[in-house]
Amino acid sequence: MNMDIDAEEATKRVHVRFVTKLKPPFKAPPTSIAIPSNLTRLGLSAVVNNLLKAGDDDWKPEPFDFLIGGELIRMSLEEFLLAKKISAEKILDIEYIKAVAPRREEEPSLHDDWVSAVDGSNSKFIVTGCYDGVGRLWKEAGSCTHVLKGHTNAVTSVCVINPKGVVDGGDELVATASKDRTVRFWKIDADEILEQPKSIRAYKILRGHNASVQSIAAQPSGEMVCSGSWDCTINLWQANDSDAVSETVSIKKRKRGKKEEKDDDPQTEGEAVSTLIGHTQCVSSVVWPKNETIYSSSWDRSIRSWDVETGKDIVNMFSGKAINCLDVGGESSALVAAGGSDPILRIWDPRKPDSLAPIFQFSSHSSWISACKWHDKSWFHLVSASYDGKVMLWDLRTAWPLTVIDSHKDKVLCTAWWRGDSIISGGADSKLCISSELSVQ
């Protein structure tokens, strides 16, 4: 009797139609077919690949993901339909998309100490910050072209000031922050061809914080940079030289005995344009998504949104835990993602009246979350890094991670996107890792 029931279960079928927004040759015939109800994502992927191969002998199998009613399937088809109370009596439309997962792991780029900061916002290079006090530019995996020397303690944060445009005849502007309490600005010719890494020093040193600077972010216009510190404040600094000449003083040239050392690259010091006060503990992360608005997170468990012109905080959201990292993106570049001293990645929508409560909570990590970053073109995808040694890729349409990257052998301290289809990350194993060829749509 039991054998008959098992056989009946195994042959239970559902009538489906596979639909997609993908362009040919990824379009399967729109006719309905009967498939076993116990198929999972891999089985559904095999069915779609068979349909595509039937119309194209040269078709090479691709991994796909599947949605019903805008939600990704992460269990068997039958379990999904039961959980969502969807009738299997009618023809089901199942949308398929390219699976988002790295196809390739680049060789890790080695550093001399923990890799604590990374920025991939410029497609030409990656900037890293390291506990050895040095910033580095990488053209690709293993290819370090510039070494940014001058900080006297660990570099905690790095950012490209104007990733979409260059200034000064081709120089890129980069900012770094450090436990030495300073923010530094660097001019880099990223296009120059170098036989070996070129050592450069900052053209401007910004002092004003009286404790470690934890995080920096550039205004989208590239005019200013903000910095968050252990001293509980956020400072705003002028980034474009022309407006800041009156506020800078030249640092005296170093002397060797009676002879003055020649200095082709004079450094200047700058003072903060303004200071935002409100947090009661360490400001752990700052982001500057729109010219007029800064977001900050803190160990005081709050996320604040600041009006740049008035210096007032306009939106406050609270987490139950100290917050380590923050990013703004997703739908209409309006969702706030944050992680901290528990394994949960939380997402808020400040546009909603009840925005005090997170709209999503993802809990697959097993330790503190150190970094999170939205994909800049997708409404659904973001990446997180954790002290559990893992980097996870999330899609808001399912509660489970799309991909778990475990290239690191120790705590992961930072992560970001590069060139739209690569995830970059750094950690306590002194490595910059690049996972590439993701099909983010």
Side-chain angles (χ1 to χ4, degrees), residues 133-196:
V134 175
R136 292 173 176 84
L137 250 72
W138 304 82
K139 284 279 177 74
E140 57 194 348
S143 174
C144 177
T145 57
H146 296 78
V147 180
L148 317 184
K149 288 188 171 178
H151 282 295
T152 57
N153 207 328
V155 176
T156 51
S157 186
V158 295
C159 80
V160 180
I161 293 178
N162 195 1
K164 295 197 167 56
V166 295
V167 294
D168 293 351
D171 282 350
E172 308 280 354
L173 294 186
V174 169
T176 56
S178 168
K179 291 191 176 197
D180 69 9
R181 307 181 178 188
T182 70
V183 173
R184 298 183 186 224
F185 290 169
W186 317 74
K187 281 180 187 161
I188 300 154
D189 181 357
D191 295 322
E192 65 183 325
I193 301 192
L194 300 164
E195 294 293 318
Q196 57 188 35

Side-chain angles (χ1 to χ4, degrees), residues 187-238:
K187 281 180 187 161
I188 300 154
D189 181 357
D191 295 322
E192 65 183 325
I193 301 192
L194 300 164
E195 294 293 318
Q196 57 188 35
K198 180 179 181 179
S199 181
I200 60 174
R201 65 193 193 111
Y203 73 89
K204 191 186 286 186
I205 301 173
L206 308 169
R207 305 179 200 275
H209 287 295
N210 56 33
S212 171
V213 187
Q214 284 298 103
S215 178
I216 47 174
Q219 192 175 23
S221 67
E223 286 178 32
M224 287 196 285
V225 168
C226 67
S227 57
S229 166
W230 271 86
D231 65 13
C232 310
T233 69
I234 299 160
N235 278 346
L236 273 59
W237 313 89
Q238 201 74 41

Side-chain angles (χ1 to χ4, degrees), residues 64-140:
F64 292 106
D65 249 320
F66 299 87
L67 301 106
I68 295 178
E71 191 164 338
L72 281 162
I73 300 171
R74 277 294 178 269
M75 50 189 83
S76 77
L77 188 53
E78 186 171 28
E79 288 167 328
F80 184 89
L81 297 178
L82 276 171
K84 302 296 171 189
K85 297 185 170 56
I86 298 170
S87 167
E89 299 299 313
K90 54 182 183 176
I91 296 171
L92 277 175
D93 277 353
I94 302 180
E95 183 185 354
Y96 62 96
I97 58 176
K98 286 185 187 177
V100 181
R103 269 69 165 177
R104 196 169 145 197
E105 293 285 332
E106 311 287 344
E107 199 62 34
S109 302
L110 298 176
H111 292 63
D112 294 336
D113 209 330
W114 291 14
V115 182
S116 44
V118 65
D119 184 330
S121 59
N122 189 307
S123 60
K124 288 196 272 187
F125 56 81
I126 297 166
V127 188
T128 58
C130 183
Y131 261 61
D132 62 3
V134 175
R136 292 173 176 84
L137 250 72
W138 304 82
K139 284 279 177 74
E140 57 194 348

Side-chain angles (χ1 to χ4, degrees), residues 241-418:
D241 286 339
S242 55
D243 296 344
V245 171
S246 60
E247 295 171 10
T248 64
V249 294
S250 183
I251 296 172
K252 288 180 181 170
K253 294 179 179 177
R254 299 185 297 276
K255 291 187 177 178
R256 286 184 182 158
K258 292 184 180 178
K259 209 172 163 189
E260 193 175 85
E261 184 183 337
K262 190 174 177 210
D263 194 346
D264 297 326
D265 185 17
Q267 290 177 302
T268 58
E269 287 200 2
E271 294 178 353
V273 177
S274 61
T275 301
L276 307 178
I277 296 170
H279 285 296
T280 57
Q281 289 192 46
C282 163
V283 178
S284 55
S285 187
V286 288
V287 291
W288 203 330
K290 294 178 181 168
N291 283 328
E292 63 280 0
T293 311
I294 290 169
Y295 281 84
S296 62
S297 66
S298 168
W299 283 19
D300 67 13
R301 306 183 178 189
S302 76
I303 294 166
R304 297 177 187 231
S305 167
W306 305 83
D307 182 301
V308 171
E309 201 171 312
T310 64
K312 302 282 188 237
D313 54 335
I314 42 182
V315 177
N316 283 350
M317 289 166 285
F318 291 91
S319 168
K321 300 288 179 181
I323 305 169
N324 293 329
C325 60
L326 168 81
D327 197 32
V328 176
E331 184 185 338
S332 303
S333 299
L335 303 184
V336 176
S341 59
D342 68 4
I344 300 170
L345 179 66
R346 295 176 173 86
I347 295 168
W348 289 263
D349 186 344
R351 299 167 300 177
K352 298 197 169 174
D354 56 348
S355 63
L356 292 180
I359 56 168
F360 295 101
Q361 298 192 85
F362 297 122
S363 50
S364 293
H365 282 297
S366 59
S367 187
W368 291 17
I369 293 172
S370 53
C372 57
K373 192 77 181 168
W374 289 98
H375 190 277
D376 65 354
K377 298 274 191 319
S378 169
W379 279 20
F380 303 109
H381 296 98
L382 72 160
V383 67
S384 62
S386 168
Y387 290 174
D388 64 13
K390 294 178 171 53
V391 174
M392 294 190 183
L393 173 61
W394 303 92
D395 186 313
L396 299 187
R397 295 166 293 188
T398 181
W400 292 272
L402 291 185
T403 299
V404 177
I405 300 168
D406 50 10
S407 314
H408 291 280
K409 301 291 176 273
D410 204 334
K411 294 186 185 80
V412 188
L413 304 175
C414 53
T415 188
W417 294 90
W418 188 40

